[in-house]
Amino acid sequence: MLRSNYVLLLLLCLAAAVHGQVNDKLPEYGTLSEVKDARKVYVHSEDLSSRELILKELANDKLLEVVGKPEDAEFFIFYGRSFIDNGYSSFGGVFGGVFGSVTTKSTSEFGEYYVIKRGDKLETGGNRPRILWGKQNLIVVHGNAFFKSKLPAKEVTREFVKELKKAREEKKSDDKKSASGS
């Protein structure tokens, strides 16, 4: 009986230690309303062309200022993408192949976009990431001559700015209600 209590105590201590280690790596979750008054944003992208598209879209929101150092930011945008080759497709052969055929390489682009701010302070000195808004599996197929490719970084940034403006409008509406109620 005494031995089983020690084993149980050991297991509980081990579980508590593992639980604490795992939680340091897990994010917190919030909403865009947490950054509706924030102005300074740091943008990170794995490629410069996507970052430039994001910066152009953010410039349409005059309340936002893109900063060059993470330390200066009130919140962050992270964008990453990867590519998968889908193979090749051919079309043509018009009038018995007189004009030839066209072969195109088809590639799918998958993107992930996150809006994050600093969460709770950790014992290690850093902060837990707090995810406020995000989109995953943004899929675009490149290489088909008949369809225009959308640019995931541009489209999702437009959606983010729209959602941020909506959160700001909700704040204005709440402020007006509280001002008229007092």
Side-chain angles (χ1 to χ4, degrees):
M1 175 76 174
L2 189 58
R3 185 170 185 216
S4 65
N5 285 342
Y6 285 123
V7 171
L8 180 61
L9 182 62
L10 178 64
L11 287 174
L12 287 173
C13 289
L14 182 60
V18 168
H19 179 71
Q21 290 173 352
V22 171
N23 279 342
D24 280 355
K25 299 198 183 346
L26 295 176
E28 300 172 9
Y29 293 93
T31 65
L32 275 183
S33 63
E34 297 176 38
V35 291
K36 61 187 169 208
D37 295 325
R39 300 293 178 249
K40 295 181 179 184
V41 58
Y42 176 81
V43 178
H44 173 76
S45 176
E46 294 173 355
D47 67 287
L48 293 177
S49 61
S50 292
R51 186 173 188 278
E52 285 301 316
L53 291 170
I54 292 169
L55 295 180
K56 281 182 183 177
E57 289 303 315
L58 291 176
N60 294 326
D61 187 330
K62 302 301 180 205
L63 298 177
L64 293 178
E65 174 190 350
V66 176
V67 295
K69 296 189 320 187
E71 297 81 13
D72 295 338
E74 296 173 272
F75 69 103
F76 310 86
I77 293 175
F78 290 94
Y79 178 76
R81 65 184 187 166
S82 57
F83 297 92
I84 296 175
D85 288 335
N86 299 328
Y88 294 87
S89 60
S90 296
F91 63 93
V94 180
F95 301 113
V98 172
F99 296 109
S101 63
V102 176
T103 302
T104 59
K105 182 178 181 180
S106 178
T107 305
S108 293
E109 176 180 344
F110 294 87
E112 293 184 315
Y113 190 102
Y114 294 100
V115 177
I116 298 173
K117 75 174 206 171
R118 292 177 188 91
D120 289 343
K121 193 85 166 156
L122 298 171
E123 290 178 11
T124 58
N127 292 80
R128 184 183 311 277
R130 185 167 178 84
I131 299 173
L132 306 176
W133 190 83
K135 296 288 180 184
Q136 292 178 306
N137 300 325
L138 306 165
I139 302 172
V140 175
V141 177
H142 299 279
N144 189 322
F146 294 112
F147 298 104
K148 181 181 176 192
S149 295
K150 287 188 176 181
L151 302 168
K154 180 178 180 177
E155 299 297 324
V156 75
T157 303
R158 279 186 183 164
E159 188 176 344
F160 158 68
V161 169
K162 181 180 168 184
E163 292 295 320
L164 181 59
K165 287 179 180 180
K166 190 186 304 181
R168 289 178 186 148
E169 289 301 316
E170 290 170 4
K171 179 187 183 285
K172 286 180 185 177
S173 174
D174 291 345
D175 290 347
K176 285 181 184 178
K177 285 179 188 175
S178 64
S180 65
S182 50

